[in-house]
Amino acid sequence: QVQLVESGGGLVQAGGSLRLSCAASGRTFSSYAMGWFRQAPGKEREFVAAISRTGDSISYVDSVKGRFTISRDNAKNTVYLQMNTLKPEDTAVYYCAARNYATYAYASYAYAYWGQGTQVTVSS
């Protein structure tokens, strides 16, 4: 089992940057593929980015490609989401999630473990 804690959210102007972190408890973080999801008010939770257990496979939703970068440091039990050139439509609560598989998934139901979320607000 793994517990996840996100940090790094906040208020930023359009065009700005934020880096989200997700710290995982336990000694088996490297066993988990990790994902970032987001949920805006009145909308369903959506896939943002994901990274495989070893970090050699990564995927992004089209709307963030070229702007967001997911990475992980297995020695620090942490996954990151670097967000650049932020837009107002990126405003949402961002969640990290873990699944005990080598490969990531795009569906939220495929992830067994979730953090509490961190708010990202981008002003225009």
Side-chain angles (χ1 to χ4, degrees), residues 4-17:
L4 306 173
V5 179
E6 301 100 332
S7 61
L11 173 64
V12 64
Q13 288 188 334
S17 299

Side-chain angles (χ1 to χ4, degrees), residues 16-63:
S17 299
L18 286 173
R19 187 175 83 153
L20 305 183
S21 299
C22 173
S25 64
R27 298 176 293 176
T28 59
F29 175 72
S30 60
S31 299
Y32 295 85
M34 302 296 296
W36 284 98
F37 291 76
R38 65 187 179 187
Q39 188 166 19
K43 295 187 176 182
E44 293 186 353
R45 190 169 299 188
E46 68 166 345
F47 171 85
V48 176
I51 188 166
S52 63
R53 177 188 294 175
T54 59
D56 60 350
S57 182
I58 288 173
S59 183
Y60 300 95
V61 67
D62 285 348
S63 60

Side-chain angles (χ1 to χ4, degrees), residues 37-113:
F37 291 76
R38 65 187 179 187
Q39 188 166 19
K43 295 187 176 182
E44 293 186 353
R45 190 169 299 188
E46 68 166 345
F47 171 85
V48 176
I51 188 166
S52 63
R53 177 188 294 175
T54 59
D56 60 350
S57 182
I58 288 173
S59 183
Y60 300 95
V61 67
D62 285 348
S63 60
V64 308
K65 284 181 180 177
R67 300 189 298 122
F68 290 12
T69 303
I70 188 171
S71 61
R72 66 188 298 159
D73 185 337
N74 286 346
K76 295 183 177 180
N77 285 9
T78 303
V79 63
Y80 305 97
L81 187 67
Q82 177 67 44
M83 305 186 296
N84 298 329
T85 319
L86 282 160
K87 304 176 180 180
E89 51 264 43
D90 295 318
T91 295
V93 177
Y94 283 70
Y95 300 89
C96 72
R99 66 193 303 262
N100 196 359
Y101 292 89
T103 56
Y104 52 76
Y106 297 99
S108 59
Y109 63 75
Y111 292 80
Y113 306 101

